[in-house]
């Protein structure tokens, strides 16, 4: 393979590391709250290996290699200067070596958490091997030999994208012989038997073609049940997937129970323990119900198989868990947003027939993250992702303050005009805070028209008119069907797009901007930068589109590209992308007419939002999927722009997280430097 092709997959050269600052908020907790936070952090991080296995099953030896290579005999971080000196390699090569290892830990895989594309070291395998051998660790050398091919393979037969095995891609959710038809067949069975797929993986025996549905549980001796599928094939539901991790998760949850702040927290933890022990979907749903009833906790946490972004089918969920402390001052703003939620939701472009019968005001808090076990930390969260729970009990909206505010001094902002740059830097984070708030509020809106097992509808089929057709509603969710099961692989991106559109549709209203303490010219500047930032995000999203596979690698970026398309098609030169030259290279800059946001831009986004919502509400997956695929298709005339985007791309931030330890009946917090070495040390001391 040519060097030019290999360079496409090189790990970022100088990734911006940012320390996740949480100590001031942690120190304000009581000892009981600190112990609760400690054990829930442990529970979250005990699932680290689950994330790696779900993403790329071949990557586990790489993780073990990193932990082994950088640990001494006592399990402490080694002096990397000694390793560098012993290896005899150049400083540049050793820095590239550290960067690769740290980026693996940041993504918890050798595939990017934001983009789903493989990355490889910027040094040769010979240089990598030389460093490993200089450690003198036989185990590290053995692990390198096991993982070398996986670390470096990018040839024609290599799988460099996450996705369906049938399409030549990588996934840990399915065995390589599983086809899309197999997945659909099993999905029918799961809906019929009311088995949640969230905590499962699917495998097929190469000899018998029979299936195994592996459920993640701490117990492995639970009775396995065998069933016949529609086509006569057999499927066995077995337990004990990710068993060692799940045992540790359940043990940490159990240790947290004595430190629960109230009865709702205690019941939530008990249901978490049950679902992680025996895989019960009912127990997981109950844990989320109790979580929703635990309002305004000092320590907020959520854990489990949560987001379905990485499953190519969009129904199986990745392990994650977070622990955070409430930022009381910032939360006051979000509480004002929540108290006015009925008014703001009434402005959304669909009638009351398509809105939830009872709007449960969401619990909306601003959090400072203590720990987040995931391959990529978001800026905001709306949970739970269980429509049977949220349609009745509502949801919690969370803004992660120390994620939004984290900055790197070397950060650059391609495609922003020179005359906009100062304003952009000043208001980018502040406008994003407004966007995250209204975005997460948006996730909690919208009714799903559905039919229960007794044939009862939650809407009047004789009276409700589909505004897109002018006729009575013809489609809705049948028993066992969910938005994810019907909209499949695009469901996550589709919903993120809907929420982003809600943010852009609602934010031009002055009363919303006032909630965040912005009025007059400053409010207008905030609104302008919000729209400009969305346009820039839609442009930079092209990095995450693979023209050869015609596949998007990141749900949020696919959504933002769709919105950029909508705004560009709004007309009247609302947005133009003009060619320019930066540092002697071809580039482009975004020209957005701020005077036309309310009269041109926002109405175009609102009309697009209306269609997204109606297709979702009516369960019209056939037309909804096609509409979204058309909206996110990348035509060849965009390819030249994509080349410019890739040539100007900025590395994504990596967050170095702290660890907590119990010593002498106290909980101590240890922070690490914002560097590749700090990232590696944090995982060495985490011992997962």
């Amino acid at each position: 393979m040519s060097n030019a092709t290999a360079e496409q997959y090189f790990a970022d050269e100088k990734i911006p590391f940012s320390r996740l600052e949480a100590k001031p908020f942690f120190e304000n907790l009581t000892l009981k709250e600190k112990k609760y936070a400690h054990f829930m952090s442990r529970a979250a991080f005990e699932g680290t290996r689950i994330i790696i296995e779900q993403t790329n099953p071949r990557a586990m030896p790489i993780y073990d290699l990193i932990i082994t290579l950088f640990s001494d005999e006592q399990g402490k971080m080694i002096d990397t200067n000694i390793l560098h000196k012993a290896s005899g390699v150049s400083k540049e090569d050793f820095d590239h070596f550290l960067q690769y290892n740290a980026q693996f830990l940041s993504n918890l895989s050798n595939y990017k958490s934001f983009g789903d594309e493989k990355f490889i070291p910027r040094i040769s395998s010979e240089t990598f091997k030389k460093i490993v051998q200089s450690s003198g660790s036989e185990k590290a050398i053995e692990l390198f030999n096991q993982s070398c091919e996986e670390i470096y393979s990018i040839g024609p037969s290599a799988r460099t994208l996450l996705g369906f095995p049938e399409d030549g891609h990588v996934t840990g959710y399915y065995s390589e012989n599983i086809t899309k038809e197999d997945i659909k067949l099993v999905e029918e069975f799961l809906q019929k038997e009311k088995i949640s797929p969230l905590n499962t993986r699917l495998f097929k025996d190469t000899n018998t073609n029979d299936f195994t549905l592996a459920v993640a549980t701490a117990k492995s001796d639970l009775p396995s049940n065998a069933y016949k599928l529609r086509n006569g094939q057999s499927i066995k539901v077995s337990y004990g997937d990710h068993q060692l991790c799940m045992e540790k998760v359940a043990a940490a949850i159990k240790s947290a129970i004595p430190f629960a702040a109230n009865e709702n927290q205690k019941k939530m933890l008990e249901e978490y323990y049950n679902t992680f022990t025996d895989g019960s979907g009912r127990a997981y749903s109950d844990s989320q119900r109790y979580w929703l009833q635990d309002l305004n906790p000092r320590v907020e946490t959520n854990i489990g198989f949560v987001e379905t972004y990485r499953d190519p089918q969009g129904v199986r969920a990745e392990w994650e868990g977070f622990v955070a402390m409430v930022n009381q001052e910032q939360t006051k703003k979000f509480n004002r947003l929540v108290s006015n939620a009925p008014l703001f939701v009434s402005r959304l472009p669909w009638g009351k027939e398509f809105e939830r019968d009872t709007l449960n005001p969401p619990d909306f808090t601003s959090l400072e993250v203590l720990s987040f076990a995931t391959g990529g930390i978001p800026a905001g969260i709306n949970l739970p992702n269980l429509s049977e729970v949220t349609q009745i009990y509502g949801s919690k909206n969370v803004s992660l303050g120390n994620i939004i505010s984290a900055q790197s001094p070397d950060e650059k902002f391609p495609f922003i005009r020179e005359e906009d740059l100062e304003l952009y830097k000043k208001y980018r984070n502040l406008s994003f805070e407004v966007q995250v708030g209204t975005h997460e509020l948006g996730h909690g809106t919208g009714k799903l028209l559905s039919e229960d097992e007794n044939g009862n509808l939650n809407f009047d089929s004789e009276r409700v008119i589909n505004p897109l057709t002018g006729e009575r509603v013809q489609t809705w969710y049948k028993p066992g069907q969910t938005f994810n099961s019907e909209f499949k692989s695009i469901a996550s991106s589709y919903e993120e797009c809907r929420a982003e559109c809600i943010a852009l549709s609602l934010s031009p209203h002055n009363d919303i901007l006032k909630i965040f303490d912005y009025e007059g010219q400053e409010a207008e500047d905030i609104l302008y930068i919000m729209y400009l930032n969305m346009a820039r995000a839609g442009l930079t999203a092209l990095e995450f589109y693979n023209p050869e596979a015609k596949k998007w690698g990141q749900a949020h970026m696919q959504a933002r590209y769709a919105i950029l398309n909508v705004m560009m098609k709004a007309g009247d030169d609302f947005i133009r992308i003009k060619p320019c030259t930066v540092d002697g290279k071809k580039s482009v800059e975004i020209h957005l007419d701020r005077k036309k946001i309310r009269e041109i831009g926002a109405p175009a986004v609102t009309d697009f939002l209306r269609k997204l919502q109606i297709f979702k509400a009516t369960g019209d997956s056939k037309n909804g999927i096609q509409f979204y695929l058309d909206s996110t298709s990348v035509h060849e005339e965009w390819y030249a722009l994509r080349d410019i985007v890739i040539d100007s791309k900025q590395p994504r931030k990596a967050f170095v997280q702290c660890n907590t330890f119990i010593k002498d009946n106290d909980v101590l917090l240890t922070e690490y430097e914002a560097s590749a070495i700090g990232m590696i040390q944090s995982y060495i001391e985490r011992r997962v």
Side-chain angles (χ1 to χ4, degrees), residues 5-33:
T5 306
E7 287 174 3
Q8 173 186 342
Y9 298 102
F10 278 166
D12 291 322
E13 191 165 11
K14 292 182 179 179
I15 190 169
F17 289 94
S18 180
R19 187 163 72 180
L20 204 54
E21 301 284 356
K23 194 167 188 174
F25 290 89
F26 182 78
E27 295 300 338
N28 283 332
L29 298 178
T30 66
L31 178 58
K32 181 180 179 182
E33 289 166 343

Side-chain angles (χ1 to χ4, degrees), residues 123-383:
I123 55 176
S124 68
S125 59
E126 291 78 13
T127 301
F128 200 120
K129 185 175 184 178
K130 186 177 181 181
I131 297 171
V132 174
Q133 287 179 327
S134 70
S135 71
S137 167
E138 292 184 8
K139 183 179 178 182
I141 295 169
E142 180 185 348
L143 286 165
F144 174 75
N145 291 334
Q146 288 178 28
S147 57
C148 180
E149 183 178 355
E150 175 55 37
I151 292 172
Y152 281 96
S153 62
I154 51 172
S157 61
R159 298 170 178 238
T160 54
L161 287 173
L162 298 181
F164 288 109
E166 185 179 349
D167 294 336
H169 303 319
V170 168
T171 179
Y173 293 100
Y174 308 100
S175 56
E176 291 186 0
N177 58 347
I178 291 280
T179 67
K180 296 175 190 175
E181 285 303 313
D182 291 335
I183 298 170
K184 290 178 183 177
L185 180 68
V186 171
E187 202 170 313
E188 289 178 19
F189 158 76
L190 296 180
Q191 288 182 14
K192 181 182 176 183
E193 296 295 325
K194 298 184 179 59
I195 298 174
S196 170
L198 289 175
N199 59 344
T200 70
R201 295 194 292 164
L202 184 62
F203 306 104
K204 185 165 70 172
D205 188 291
T206 54
N207 297 317
T208 65
N209 278 338
D210 289 334
F211 299 101
T212 297
L213 186 76
V215 184
T217 60
K219 288 183 177 179
S220 61
D221 57 354
L222 298 168
S224 297
N225 297 314
Y227 303 84
K228 286 292 183 183
L229 299 176
R230 171 174 46 80
N231 68 348
Q233 283 178 270
S234 174
I235 183 168
K236 181 177 71 174
V237 179
S238 70
Y239 299 89
D241 197 24
H242 307 301
Q243 184 187 4
L244 292 179
C245 289
M246 297 305 290
E247 283 179 348
K248 294 176 181 178
V249 169
I253 294 286
K254 193 171 184 178
S255 296
I257 291 176
F259 306 105
N262 53 56
E263 194 62 20
N264 279 323
Q265 270 189 16
K266 180 174 180 290
K267 289 179 178 177
M268 174 189 75
L269 295 181
E270 288 170 347
E271 296 300 345
Y272 273 141
Y273 180 82
N274 291 337
T275 187
F276 299 147
T277 300
D278 63 18
S280 167
R282 169 63 66 184
Y284 180 63
S285 292
D286 287 342
S287 75
Q288 299 307 283
R289 290 187 180 93
Y290 288 123
W291 181 65
L292 289 172
Q293 294 172 60
D294 181 28
L295 298 176
N296 301 312
R298 293 251 300 162
V299 178
E300 184 64 282
T301 181
N302 196 285
I303 188 171
F305 296 89
V306 180
E307 302 288 0
T308 59
Y309 299 130
R310 307 301 284 276
D311 171 19
Q313 185 68 4
V315 296
R316 290 171 172 81
E318 189 175 26
W319 175 266
E320 71 172 43
F322 74 84
V323 178
M325 291 75 63
V326 175
N327 182 328
Q328 298 291 352
E329 286 303 310
Q330 196 64 23
T331 296
K332 289 178 183 177
K333 298 179 184 179
F334 292 122
N335 285 338
R336 294 201 297 267
L337 181 68
V338 168
S339 65
N340 288 280
L343 170 63
F344 300 145
V345 171
S346 71
R347 294 172 179 168
L348 294 173
W350 50 81
K352 62 181 182 180
E353 295 88 353
F354 296 94
E355 191 48 70
R356 299 179 185 186
D357 299 327
T358 302
L359 181 65
N360 296 298
D363 179 36
F364 209 143
T365 50
S366 177
L367 302 179
E368 305 296 318
V369 176
L370 174 70
S371 56
F372 207 137
T374 178
I377 304 177
I381 300 170
N382 173 273
L383 292 174

Side-chain angles (χ1 to χ4, degrees), residues 629-644:
L629 292 178
D630 290 343
S631 302
T632 58
S633 64
V634 181
H635 300 293
E636 288 189 10
E637 57 263 31
W638 284 82
Y639 288 4
L641 263 180
R642 181 179 179 273
D643 291 339
I644 292 173

